[in-house]
Amino acid sequence: MAKTDPDKLMIKADKLTKLSFTRWTADWKAATVLYEQAAINYRILRDNEKAKIAFEKASKGQEMISSPWDAAKHMESAAALAKDLGRWNEVSDHYRRAAELYNECGRAQPASDALAKGARALEDVEPEEAVRLYNDACEILEEEGKEQMAFDLYRATTSIYIKLEKYADASTFMLRLGLAADKCNAVNSQCKAYLSAIIIYLYAHDFNQAQKCYNDCSQIAGFLNSDQSRCAIKLLSAYEEGDIEEIKRVAQSSNISHLDHAIIRLARKLPTGDLKDIKVEGKQEEEEALDEDDLT
């Protein structure tokens, strides 16, 4: 039983990593095995605090013996335990370190997955940090030309931005999803992303930006000829005409029902502001255009 006592395993492992008059070099290989055994035993005993420390040391050991893959795995285990303990800063730090170690192996997908795990763990408690982790996870996949693997990450980030009421950022991420989908020839996902961005702008009562977004996205033939484009036109037209009932009707359409839940919830609440303001803005733009053409 003494051999399986995790406390004794940790003490023995620590001694192997410390230099002394009788030990001139650290025996990380032997110590790492002991740290791993201790971590497993602590976890069985549900001593998450000590298990986390053991996995951290096991990760360090694997790193010292040039095994970044195993080091990353142990760091992920430590991160998961940090989550259970509510150590939110450690959750972020450990998953980031795991991602770095996976990158050392040239493994972009696991690196991105590690960051995404951290983001999901922090969504409710540290949403700003979750956004940063999701963004970094997306960038890793983008650099590797694996944008299609990032679609869910774009959507998750958009959802957080919506909860934070950062609607411009939410729209930007939907447009980023649209660009990624374009590179993957995922036309349906692209069109949904563009319609989603327009809806977010409308929810934020920024009709001009929604109109500009539509005009920009319409430069892409796949969107211009899509059902999502026609849905966007109906929404924008209803806004211009101040037709609240038409806005609500379009918001219930099947094209919107097939979007992400976060976007559907926004659409169902349209319109969110006074449509008279939008009609005035439209008239002002028309008057400015007439003034520019007036040569008298």
Side-chain angles (χ1 to χ4, degrees):
M1 292 295 292
K3 290 183 179 180
T4 61
D5 184 331
D7 289 336
K8 291 183 177 180
L9 291 173
M10 290 292 286
I11 292 171
K12 184 176 180 180
D14 286 341
K15 287 181 179 179
L16 291 173
T17 63
K18 294 178 181 178
L19 304 182
S20 66
F21 289 113
T22 58
R23 182 180 295 107
W24 289 34
T25 58
D27 188 352
W28 279 102
K29 186 174 182 179
T32 299
V33 173
L34 296 174
Y35 285 136
E36 290 170 341
Q37 291 175 353
I40 293 170
N41 282 308
Y42 280 134
R43 196 154 57 180
I44 292 172
L45 295 172
R46 297 184 180 179
D47 190 336
N48 290 346
E49 178 65 43
K50 289 184 178 180
K52 179 182 72 69
I53 293 171
F55 275 117
E56 290 168 351
K57 292 188 175 185
S59 177
K60 176 65 175 178
Q62 290 291 356
E63 191 177 350
M64 294 299 291
I65 60 177
S66 301
S67 182
W69 175 267
D70 291 321
K73 286 290 186 182
H74 290 326
M75 192 54 71
E76 283 199 79
S77 295
L81 289 165
K83 176 191 173 184
D84 293 339
L85 292 165
R87 305 282 181 78
W88 307 117
N89 288 338
E90 292 183 25
V91 170
S92 176
D93 291 343
H94 287 0
Y95 276 120
R96 284 189 180 280
R97 182 55 188 152
E100 291 173 358
L101 290 164
Y102 283 128
N103 275 327
E104 287 183 21
C105 305
R107 301 295 295 276
Q109 185 66 59
S112 177
D113 288 345
L115 293 173
K117 289 176 186 176
R120 284 191 287 272
L122 295 173
E123 280 189 14
D124 295 329
V125 291
E126 296 285 350
E128 296 282 2
E129 178 60 14
V131 163
R132 287 189 284 270
L133 287 165
Y134 273 133
N135 182 69
D136 292 345
C138 290
E139 287 183 350
I140 288 175
L141 296 175
E142 288 168 352
E143 290 173 2
E144 293 293 317
K146 297 180 178 179
E147 286 89 353
Q148 192 161 4
M149 304 298 293
F151 284 9
D152 287 341
L153 305 183
Y154 295 124
R155 296 186 181 103
T157 309
T158 299
S159 181
I160 296 176
Y161 274 133
I162 289 172
K163 290 178 183 177
L164 293 173
E165 299 184 355
K166 294 186 175 182
Y167 301 116
D169 291 325
S171 294
T172 297
F173 243 83
M174 276 291 99
L175 294 173
R176 189 169 166 184
L177 169 56
L179 179 60
D182 185 53
K183 293 180 180 179
C184 303
N185 294 317
V187 178
N188 191 45
S189 294
Q190 180 181 21
C191 294
K192 287 182 177 179
Y194 290 158
L195 176 57
S196 297
I198 292 166
I199 289 171
I200 294 170
Y201 280 126
L202 290 176
Y203 181 82
H205 203 58
D206 192 342
F207 175 80
N208 289 337
Q209 193 59 43
Q211 183 70 64
K212 182 179 183 300
C213 182
Y214 174 79
N215 292 339
D216 290 343
C217 294
S218 293
Q219 301 300 312
I220 298 173
F223 176 70
L224 181 61
N225 300 317
S226 68
D227 290 338
Q228 289 80 12
S229 174
R230 286 184 280 275
C231 180
I233 290 174
K234 290 178 182 178
L235 267 179
L236 294 171
S237 297
Y239 264 81
E240 287 181 324
E241 295 166 5
D243 191 338
I244 295 176
E245 292 306 315
E246 176 65 6
I247 292 170
K248 291 181 177 180
R249 189 191 68 78
V250 176
Q252 296 289 333
S253 66
S254 60
N255 285 311
I256 289 179
S257 297
H258 287 98
L259 301 178
D260 296 333
H261 294 303
I263 307 301
I264 294 172
R265 284 194 292 270
L266 297 187
R268 298 291 194 257
K269 295 176 182 178
L270 296 178
T272 54
D274 191 344
L275 297 184
K276 292 181 180 178
D277 297 337
I278 290 171
K279 292 172 72 176
V280 170
E281 288 175 2
K283 289 179 180 178
Q284 287 176 342
E285 289 177 4
E286 289 177 7
E287 289 172 0
E288 289 173 3
L290 287 173
D291 289 340
E292 291 176 1
D293 293 335
D294 188 359
L295 302 178
T296 59

